[in-house]
Amino acid sequence: MNSNLNLVSGIAKYSVSTWMNLFLGFFSVIITTRLLSPEIYGLVSLFFSATSVMIYMLSLGLDGALIRFYNDPPGSDTRNQLLYKNLVLTASVSFFVGVVFAIFIGRSVSNFVFGIPSRLLIGVLFIYTFCQLSLRMLNISFRMSFQTRKYTVQNILSNSLSRILLIFAAFFTASFVGIVSILSIGMLLVLFVYLYFQKKEFYPKDINGHARFSINLKGYGEYFRFALFCAPTYIITYLNTYVNQQLISSVISHYALGIFSSTAMFVHIFSAIKGGFSTYWSAFVYKNYITEQKKITRVHDYLIVLTIAILSIFVFSRDLIYLVIGTDFHHSKSFFSLLLILPTLSFIMETTDKGIALAKKNQINLITHIVSVFANIGLCLLLIKPLGLMGAAIANAVSGIILYSLNTYWGQKYYHSIKSYRKSIVGIILMILILVIPSITLNMIYIVCSVLLLDLITLLAYKKEAYYIIKRFTVFFKTRKNNK
């Protein structure tokens, strides 16, 4: 029982920052959808989406490799040397590519992505991307060394400042370039602060305590091979979102993109729930996949039950949430739940696809993500013109289902983490149905009745797991209360 409590406690600790970021993100959406027009809101969302893609293009997959090899550094290096080399390599690539782009093709790239020919905008984009990438590397160090408090504080600081600066900029300027410039300067200040406070973690001391500032990559062959397949996978993951937004912007308008992007708030709410779990779970599985396989298989079923309960509450709260959003953005009410299918299945996939990474078969991950993105692009081109934003939402949802199915199949082939495949499939179908219903009808009575029926089916199929979850959470909160 203590091990179960430790698992819940670990997940809860790593969830603090995501819940704080949820609150700040929710507050930010409430304010910015009232201060910014859908057109400017759409451009800011496109900036964030482009940044997410660029982070993983410039990281060369080293962030993914850092997570996998943190407890087993390549060659004879220490963790400090590994982090130091990651920071130096990614900084060098970011600076070189940023300067080349800004000077030679900045205006044309800016015009293609944002519809605004500006070298300054490309420079700002690279600065913001570099800051987020470096902070990610530093954050991974806290995460993988289980420094929970430091990880939480850093996560909240880096994300909260971005939200606060967005609100601040929205109060004083309606200029897109002005807003993202303020964001980039703020993130640069945060990076300088953390480079100072974490200097001991990336000071390149070898196993004998001597400083080694040279970039010696002997023994890094496997590390770079792993990173090579991580990079395209991460790029394609975020490209999936970017493609949706870019096609909406070009086929319909920036205004329509703003309405579509406002639904990111709902995705952020669910991501806050996912964040703490996935952050803790990856480290837990990589460390205990041999000795704790039975526990790992049970967690998949528990997660399905919890997710269905959370999605049900979320769907019931739809109208309440939309009360605080600017009225210009209410057109998204008919398709918001479809956009939750991808992050929901990505959440569950945390418990089904780890076998791919454990078997070091990242090329499979790359292929499945490519298939998913091409499905998204094809369906967007096919459905956006006749169905508008609903077509883009359907494309996003279908690509999520394809990705989950392929990754789960291959993940289970190399490492079994699902106890009953039939039961798992039933749970996934119930989740998808809960999220599809609000797009079939806007009548809240029909929605509530239908979702409650699906919840009843879930209880019948997972009654043992539901009882266990209630019992464990009761014990967990009682233990926390007694400790106080």
Side-chain angles (χ1 to χ4, degrees):
M1 186 163 106
N2 288 334
S3 63
N4 289 320
L5 288 175
N6 289 336
L7 179 61
V8 174
S9 177
I11 293 170
K13 287 177 182 177
Y14 277 90
S15 297
V16 174
S17 65
T18 51
W19 282 103
M20 284 296 296
N21 292 331
L22 161 64
F23 171 77
L24 292 165
F26 187 64
F27 179 72
S28 170
V29 170
I30 293 173
I31 301 298
T32 52
T33 55
R34 295 178 182 277
L35 292 175
L36 299 176
S37 68
E39 182 177 5
I40 298 299
Y41 191 93
L43 284 170
V44 172
S45 298
L46 197 59
F47 178 86
F48 285 137
S49 185
T51 299
S52 297
V53 175
M54 287 177 58
I55 285 173
Y56 293 105
M57 289 179 69
L58 297 175
S59 73
L60 306 175
L62 295 178
D63 55 334
L66 179 59
I67 293 173
R68 179 64 183 88
F69 289 87
Y70 184 84
N71 293 308
D72 185 23
S76 58
D77 279 357
T78 62
R79 293 175 179 177
N80 288 48
Q81 289 175 288
L82 180 60
L83 180 58
Y84 167 77
K85 290 176 182 179
N86 274 261
L87 288 170
V88 171
L89 289 172
T90 53
S92 301
V93 171
S94 299
F95 179 78
F96 175 77
V97 177
V99 169
V100 170
F101 265 67
I103 293 176
F104 296 104
I105 55 175
R107 288 175 62 83
S108 57
V109 172
S110 175
N111 189 51
F112 173 77
V113 177
F114 303 108
I116 304 171
S118 170
R119 286 192 178 91
L120 173 62
L121 187 52
I122 291 301
V124 168
L125 180 65
F126 271 92
I127 290 172
Y128 187 85
T129 301
F130 163 69
C131 293
Q132 291 286 6
L133 174 55
S134 299
L135 285 169
R136 174 165 171 74
M137 293 293 185
L138 295 171
N139 197 247
I140 288 172
S141 178
F142 280 154
R143 168 185 169 182
M144 296 304 294
S145 58
F146 294 96
Q147 298 182 64
T148 313
R149 289 185 180 179
K150 292 179 180 179
Y151 165 84
T152 300
V153 171
Q154 187 189 68
N155 233 336
I156 293 173
L157 180 60
S158 60
N159 284 280
S160 64
L161 183 61
S162 177
R163 304 293 183 185
I164 292 169
L165 288 173
L166 180 58
I167 295 171
F168 174 81
F171 267 112
F172 292 99
T173 178
S175 166
F176 167 58
V177 177
I179 290 172
V180 296
S181 296
I182 292 172
L183 285 172
S184 298
I185 293 170
M187 293 311 299
L188 194 59
L189 293 175
V190 172
L191 175 59
F192 287 151
V193 169
Y194 266 93
L195 285 173
Y196 174 77
F197 282 110
Q198 285 186 257
K199 59 182 182 292
K200 290 184 178 180
E201 295 195 29
F202 63 83
Y203 187 77
K205 293 188 297 184
D206 62 16
I207 55 176
N208 297 315
H210 301 305
R212 303 292 182 187
F213 291 98
S214 61
I215 307 298
N216 184 353
L217 301 177
K218 184 179 180 180
Y220 273 70
E222 185 180 18
Y223 187 82
F224 284 117
R225 280 193 295 272
F226 188 90
L228 179 64
F229 287 107
C230 275
T233 300
Y234 281 123
I235 293 168
I236 291 167
T237 298
Y238 286 94
L239 192 63
N240 207 17
T241 300
Y242 175 76
V243 165
N244 265 92
Q245 295 186 352
Q246 189 64 54
L247 285 173
I248 291 169
S249 178
S250 58
V251 175
I252 308 178
S253 66
H254 291 317
Y255 187 95
L257 174 59
I259 295 173
F260 187 84
S261 299
S262 67
T263 59
M265 175 190 63
F266 297 101
V267 176
H268 290 156
I269 290 173
F270 194 80
S271 294
I273 301 165
K274 171 190 173 183
F277 174 82
S278 60
T279 300
Y280 180 84
W281 188 245
S282 295
F284 178 86
V285 172
Y286 290 145
K287 186 178 181 180
N288 303 290
Y289 67 95
I290 296 176
T291 59
E292 298 282 5
Q293 187 170 10
K294 287 186 178 180
K295 180 184 291 185
I296 290 170
T297 58
R298 291 197 300 266
V299 167
H300 173 73
D301 287 336
Y302 300 148
L303 198 63
I304 286 179
V305 176
L306 281 171
T307 303
I308 288 175
I310 292 166
L311 290 176
S312 300
I313 295 170
F314 192 74
V315 169
F316 295 155
S317 306
R318 183 199 65 184
D319 290 348
L320 181 63
I321 295 172
Y322 268 94
L323 286 176
V324 298
I325 301 176
T327 54
D328 289 340
F329 297 83
H330 282 201
H331 297 295
S332 62
K333 188 181 287 189
S334 62
F335 61 79
F336 84 98
S337 61
L338 291 179
L339 294 176
L340 282 176
I341 290 178
L342 175 58
T344 297
L345 294 180
S346 295
F347 181 25
I348 303 300
M349 202 163 68
E350 289 288 330
T351 64
T352 66
D353 74 341
K354 288 292 184 284
I356 297 174
L358 291 171
K360 299 178 183 177
K361 300 284 186 178
N362 276 39
Q363 63 271 25
I364 294 175
N365 228 347
L366 173 60
I367 294 170
T368 60
H369 279 77
I370 289 174
V371 171
S372 173
V373 170
F374 273 102
N376 187 21
I377 294 172
L379 288 171
C380 277
L381 293 172
L382 185 66
L383 300 176
I384 284 180
K385 283 190 176 180
L387 298 178
L389 295 179
M390 178 65 79
I394 292 172
N396 185 271
V398 173
S399 70
I401 294 171
I402 291 172
L403 180 63
Y404 175 84
S405 301
L406 293 175
N407 268 37
T408 298
Y409 171 79
W410 288 103
Q412 293 306 297
K413 182 175 181 179
Y414 293 108
Y415 184 79
H416 294 291
S417 60
I418 298 176
K419 188 176 181 180
S420 170
Y421 293 120
R422 182 180 298 177
K423 197 173 185 177
S424 177
I425 292 171
V426 170
I428 296 301
I429 291 173
L430 289 170
M431 280 183 212
I432 294 172
L433 288 176
I434 288 172
L435 294 174
V436 167
I437 288 170
S439 294
I440 297 175
T441 176
L442 293 177
N443 189 307
M444 206 61 202
I445 295 176
Y446 293 156
I447 292 173
V448 171
C449 291
S450 301
V451 172
L452 285 175
L453 177 60
L454 294 173
D455 289 341
L456 179 60
I457 295 173
T458 302
L459 284 175
L460 293 174
Y462 287 90
K463 56 185 177 181
K464 183 179 178 181
E465 288 79 9
Y467 173 77
Y468 182 88
I469 289 170
I470 294 170
K471 181 180 177 181
R472 291 304 176 200
F473 270 97
T474 301
V475 173
F476 171 70
F477 287 114
K478 283 183 177 179
T479 302
R480 298 277 293 180
K481 185 176 179 180
N482 292 335
N483 289 337
K484 290 180 181 180

